[in-house]
């Protein structure tokens, strides 16, 4: 749990999953956890490598959701990656508090969560004397979600989550953030929402700046 929160975002989805069964683990969880421990043992020297890049935006956010991934309660998982000068400085991997009725709704909930955290991060940076260039780009791979937060028309299908809907839309209209499309294959926050095939996991792990620090 400690390293998933401080230096190993690649383990955040795993820690989020296993934390649900601390009071009632079974043999299946133990078998799965042994695989995770073997991975951790083989990557003990891995950590975040900070290399500033001036080519991209000062602050950018990747946000994603895995819709209804939990077969027990069907709640989705939100994921977000916050990058400062191209380096990963913060991340979120958390199960959503309510059941989302569609992938668009799950993505909107995740986007709202990321937007709230992003506003806090901007204030922290300003306290440190850094002026964040706005609008801050939020990279989203769900086209419907982008249309909802960019469209001034009311969306009747989302009345039950209109608070999140209007909160994000207000940030977009005020120029604080902008929501851009990113292909799913390039969605870095995907690693924070679910288990992935090994090649995809390694590629996204590298995109977050996680590398062997002993080299």
């Amino acid at each position: 749990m400690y390293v998933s929160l401080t230096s190993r975002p690649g383990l955040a989805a795993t820690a989020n999953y296993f934390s649900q069964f601390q009071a009632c683990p079974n043999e299946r969880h133990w078998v799965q956890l042994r695989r995770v421990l073997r991975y951790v043992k083989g990557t003990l020297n891995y950590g975040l490598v900070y290399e500033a890049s001036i080519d991209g935006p000062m602050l950018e956010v990747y946000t994603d959701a895995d819709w209804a991934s939990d077969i027990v309660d069907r709640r989705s998982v939100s994921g977000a990656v916050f990058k400062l000068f191209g380096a990963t400085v913060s991340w979120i991997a958390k199960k959503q508090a309510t059941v989302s009725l569609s992938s668009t709704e799950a993505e909107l909930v995740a986007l709202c969560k990321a937007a709230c955290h992003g506003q806090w991060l901007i204030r922290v940076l300003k306290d440190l004397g850094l002026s964040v260039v706005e609008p801050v780009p939020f990279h989203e791979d769900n086209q419907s979600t982008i249309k909802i937060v960019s469209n001034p028309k009311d969306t009747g299908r989302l009345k039950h989550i209109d608070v999140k809907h209007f909160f994000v839309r207000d940030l977009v209209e005020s120029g604080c953030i902008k929501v851009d499309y990113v292909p799913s294959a390039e969605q870095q926050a995907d690693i924070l929402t679910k288990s992935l095939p090994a090649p995809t996991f390694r590629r996204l792990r590298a995109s977050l700046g996680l590398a062997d620090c002993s080299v």
Side-chain angles (χ1 to χ4, degrees):
M1 178 67 76
Y2 174 76
V3 294
S4 72
L5 293 174
T6 58
S7 61
R8 297 287 297 271
L11 294 173
T14 300
N16 177 64
Y17 171 76
F18 282 108
S19 64
Q20 303 173 59
F21 307 103
Q22 291 185 88
C24 54
N26 57 37
E27 185 66 24
R28 180 173 61 89
H29 299 132
W30 172 240
V31 172
Q32 295 171 341
L33 185 58
R34 287 175 61 187
R35 294 186 61 187
V36 176
L37 294 177
R38 284 196 295 269
Y39 167 75
V40 173
K41 183 178 180 180
T43 58
L44 286 177
N45 293 322
Y46 273 63
L48 286 172
V49 177
Y50 292 99
E51 296 177 344
S53 172
I54 59 175
D55 297 331
M58 176 181 177
L59 177 65
E60 62 179 334
V61 183
Y62 290 84
T63 175
D64 193 27
D66 186 28
W67 179 46
S69 56
D70 195 319
I71 61 174
V72 176
D73 58 14
R74 288 303 182 186
R75 293 185 182 182
S76 306
V77 176
S78 298
V81 177
F82 301 82
K83 289 197 162 189
L84 185 64
F85 294 114
T88 301
V89 296
S90 184
W91 54 90
I92 296 172
K94 187 174 183 180
K95 179 181 282 191
Q96 296 178 3
T98 58
V99 177
S100 297
L101 301 180
S102 67
S103 59
T104 298
E105 182 179 330
E107 295 278 357
L108 182 56
V109 172
L111 178 58
C112 180
K113 180 76 173 180
C116 290
H117 189 81
Q119 294 303 296
W120 168 83
L121 186 57
I122 290 173
R123 290 195 294 270
V124 171
L125 293 174
K126 289 181 178 179
D127 288 342
L128 295 174
L130 293 175
S131 297
V132 178
V133 179
E134 295 182 337
V136 176
F138 278 65
H139 304 299
E140 169 66 53
D141 61 2
N142 187 287
Q143 296 275 22
S144 298
T145 301
I146 296 175
K147 291 180 180 178
I148 287 171
V149 299
S150 303
N151 192 341
K153 293 183 178 180
D154 291 332
T155 306
R157 293 176 298 172
L158 296 174
K159 286 183 178 179
H160 57 298
I161 54 169
D162 61 348
V163 174
K164 295 179 176 62
H165 173 206
F166 284 108
F167 173 74
V168 177
R169 182 189 292 178
D170 285 348
L171 291 177
V172 172
E173 293 180 349
S174 63
C176 294
I177 70 173
K178 62 176 180 177
V179 185
D180 299 326
Y181 174 73
V182 62
S184 296
E186 301 174 16
Q187 177 54 271
Q188 298 181 22
D190 198 28
I191 196 174
L192 299 170
T193 63
K194 59 181 175 291
S195 60
L196 297 168
T200 304
F201 178 85
R202 286 192 289 266
R203 177 173 54 82
L204 293 179
R205 181 183 64 186
S207 70
L208 294 181
L210 281 164
D212 189 343
C213 299
S214 65
V215 178

